[in-house]
Amino acid sequence: QKYDAAYEYLLLCQNIVNRNEQLASDRERVVILNNIGVTYLHRRMYQAADSVFTEVERQASALDDSAYPMLLSFINQANVSAKMEHWEKGAQLLEKMEPYITEFIYMFPDYAKIAFNIHLGSADYPKAHFILDSLRRHELAEGEALSGAYYSMKARYHLAKNQPKQALSAIEQRASLPGLDAEDRVQLSRQRMEAYLISGAQSQALDEIRQLGKLYREYEQEKQKRRTEEMAALYDIETYKAARDYAQERADAMEMRAQLLETNRIYLAAALLFAIGGLIILILDIWAIVSIVGSSAGVG
């Protein structure tokens, strides 16, 4: 989640492959551009992200092997639409990506999360429930335990339907899974608080509010730690770029020096030839004079 650093590294990557076309295929270049858009999306720069993903779609449409980058473009455009609550546009994008999902079935969980957000946001509960059930069947078919994302979506569905008992059950199932980070714990606490408020359990809601404050402070500390690590990563790339620029300046200077030496060598060679030519002419002139003098003396 160090998206500023990711953005800088992706720009560097893009610059490198633009200077050397053999380093990446056209399809890979489109994927790099898509990932730049992802950094805008996670930094909540939604208009910029949408512009990038639209450009990804345009470039991908010209590729022979366009399916994967096209799907990336549609998924991310739909994600932007969900973030900006443009439900109608999001639903249109979901229809566009449906043919691609069957080819890239491993991306179904990503599709399901975004589709669920769009349907839930537009209060289309039957479609939201269908997506939720489809995700459950997909994960079970893959031989996996139901994911934290599934239980989180299930809790949100029941909260939207004012079903606090079912929501709390899904929340506790999510909380029992390993690998929770500080952001997950904050989200779970907020959902518990909302469920208690819906059910009218005021004292439990107040307790959860106090717990939420504690968890939020821990989350802010984790974010600060991550930001410190990100600043170190940004320093590393700036150091690299400075070293690269210095090396480029040295290379340019050496090339200029070599060109000057070559030019001087040509000038020196030309001057030497001119001098030798002049010396030869002088010798010939002296020889001619001597010959003339000798002839004159013989005649005398």
Side-chain angles (χ1 to χ4, degrees), residues 159-176:
L159 288 170
K161 294 279 287 181
N162 289 324
Q163 298 169 339
K165 184 177 179 181
Q166 295 92 325
L168 284 168
S169 175
I171 291 166
E172 295 315 313
Q173 286 172 304
R174 172 73 179 97
S176 67

Side-chain angles (χ1 to χ4, degrees), residues 68 70-80 82 89-120 127-139 149 153 156:
Y68 178 67
M70 285 292 281
L71 178 57
L72 288 180
S73 170
F74 291 146
I75 283 181
N76 287 313
Q77 285 185 68
N79 201 358
V80 171
K89 180 182 178 182
Q92 292 171 355
L93 287 161
L94 293 178
E95 291 180 6
K96 283 186 176 182
M97 73 178 81
E98 279 180 3
Y100 297 94
I101 289 296
T102 55
E103 182 178 353
F104 300 97
I105 193 63
Y106 63 89
M107 294 186 68
F108 180 78
D110 296 308
Y111 162 82
K113 292 172 195 173
I114 295 167
F116 177 81
N117 289 340
I118 290 170
H119 295 319
L120 193 69
K127 285 185 178 179
H129 186 270
F130 174 78
I131 291 293
L132 186 61
D133 192 53
S134 297
L135 179 59
R136 181 185 64 81
R137 286 186 278 107
H138 172 81
E139 292 184 343
M153 290 160 61
R156 289 174 56 208

Side-chain angles (χ1 to χ4, degrees), residues 270-280:
L272 183 60
L273 287 173
F274 180 79
I276 292 172
L279 181 61
I280 291 171

Side-chain angles (χ1 to χ4, degrees), residues 205-259:
L206 288 172
D207 289 341
E208 196 61 46
I209 288 172
R210 285 190 285 269
Q211 178 67 6
L212 178 59
K214 177 176 176 292
L215 292 171
Y216 187 76
R217 286 190 293 273
E218 292 175 0
Y219 172 53
E220 285 297 312
Q221 290 172 0
E222 185 174 295
K223 279 178 61 178
Q224 184 59 43
K225 179 183 176 184
R226 189 162 59 238
R227 182 60 180 168
T228 301
E229 293 171 350
E230 183 173 40
M231 294 303 292
L234 287 168
Y235 175 79
D236 285 344
I237 195 170
E238 289 301 324
T239 301
Y240 167 78
K241 286 161 66 177
R244 181 199 59 185
D245 293 344
Y246 176 72
Q248 187 63 48
E249 289 174 4
R250 292 271 297 175
D252 291 344
M254 292 297 290
E255 183 179 357
M256 183 176 292
R257 182 173 180 274
Q259 290 175 351

